Amino acid sequence: MWSIIQAAGWPIWPLILASVVSLAIIGERFWALRSGAVAPKSLLPEVQQWLKQRGMTKETCVRLEQHSPLGEIFSSALCNTDTSREVMKEAIEETGRAVAHKLERYLTTLGTIATVSPLLGLLGTVIGMVELFGAFTSTGHDIAQFARGISVALYNTAMGIIVAVPSMIFYRHFRAKVDSLIIEMEQEAIKLVEILHGERK
């Protein structure tokens, strides 16, 4: 591996850094965007049970807010139980936007890496080509410099693609996952509003 890095030259280092950041984001988002952690199915029945047993308290709101992203949305609804349906829905929508922003955390960075990595690879290719043509002089050509130019060009091109493809795949996957979770939380929030206003049991 070290011999490949040496052969690729200094342009490979930004790509190595990008790959490390990309892997870190992918791992973190896989952990953070688990359905059970973001929108647990058992939360709505639990909230119904709390309401039947103890009613609405400030402690319940705080507990819900710290529970999960869906809990934050439920908390905003329960803290506005004395208001009209419209005001409650506005509070839920505001909290929902904040929750959606949290769920999309780091995805812009991952998308940027997916877009920029091929360009960094292309930069390495251009630098390699410059070295390659620099091997030709009026007195002949330097075989070692010629081979190094080819190595720099090809390794950087390949590395740019290797970093970009998985980054783009996981960026698209996480975007779809976030959209799915947002829709799921919206549906659960609507059910809670209907329960609080006596339209659902």
Side-chain angles (χ1 to χ4, degrees):
M1 179 60 77
W2 179 245
S3 61
I4 291 174
I5 293 171
Q6 286 181 312
W10 68 263
I12 199 82
W13 288 106
L15 285 166
I16 291 172
L17 177 62
S19 69
V20 171
V21 173
S22 178
L23 285 172
I25 292 172
I26 289 167
E28 190 276 339
R29 288 292 86 188
F30 259 122
W31 177 257
L33 295 178
R34 292 167 295 141
S35 295
V38 176
K41 294 286 187 184
S42 61
L43 188 57
L44 184 58
E46 283 180 28
V47 170
Q48 285 181 275
Q49 196 67 29
W50 292 346
L51 291 172
K52 286 177 184 176
Q53 290 176 351
R54 292 172 294 222
M56 180 57 215
T57 63
K58 188 174 182 180
E59 289 73 24
T60 307
C61 276
V62 173
R63 186 176 170 186
L64 267 175
E65 196 170 340
Q66 296 172 349
H67 183 276
S68 62
L70 180 59
E72 285 186 54
I73 294 172
F74 281 4
S75 177
S76 68
L78 292 170
C79 290
N80 288 278
T81 49
D82 298 330
T83 62
S84 65
R85 184 187 178 105
E86 287 71 29
V87 172
M88 186 182 289
K89 286 183 77 173
E90 282 179 16
I92 288 171
E93 285 171 4
E94 285 177 14
T95 306
R97 282 192 288 271
V99 167
H101 181 70
K102 289 178 186 176
L103 295 179
E104 291 171 354
R105 192 176 170 192
Y106 303 132
L107 292 189
T108 301
T109 304
L110 188 61
T112 302
I113 289 171
T115 305
V116 169
S117 293
L119 298 177
L120 291 173
L122 182 61
L123 173 64
T125 304
V126 171
I127 291 169
M129 295 298 286
V130 169
E131 283 195 28
L132 189 152
F133 286 113
F136 294 95
T137 63
S138 57
T139 57
H141 56 273
D142 186 339
I143 299 295
Q145 187 178 344
F146 183 81
R148 175 169 172 74
I150 292 175
S151 294
V152 171
L154 294 181
Y155 279 130
N156 280 280
T157 302
M159 187 65 176
I161 295 168
I162 288 168
V163 174
V165 171
S167 298
M168 180 56 74
I169 288 170
F170 283 107
Y171 171 75
R172 297 284 187 186
H173 168 74
F174 291 134
R175 289 293 309 179
K177 180 75 172 175
V178 167
D179 291 342
S180 174
L181 288 169
I182 289 171
I183 291 169
E184 192 175 326
M185 288 190 290
E186 283 177 357
Q187 291 172 342
E188 292 292 296
I190 290 168
K191 289 177 187 176
L192 179 62
V193 171
E194 290 174 350
I195 289 166
L196 292 173
H197 284 274
E199 298 168 12
R200 180 190 287 261
K201 294 183 180 180

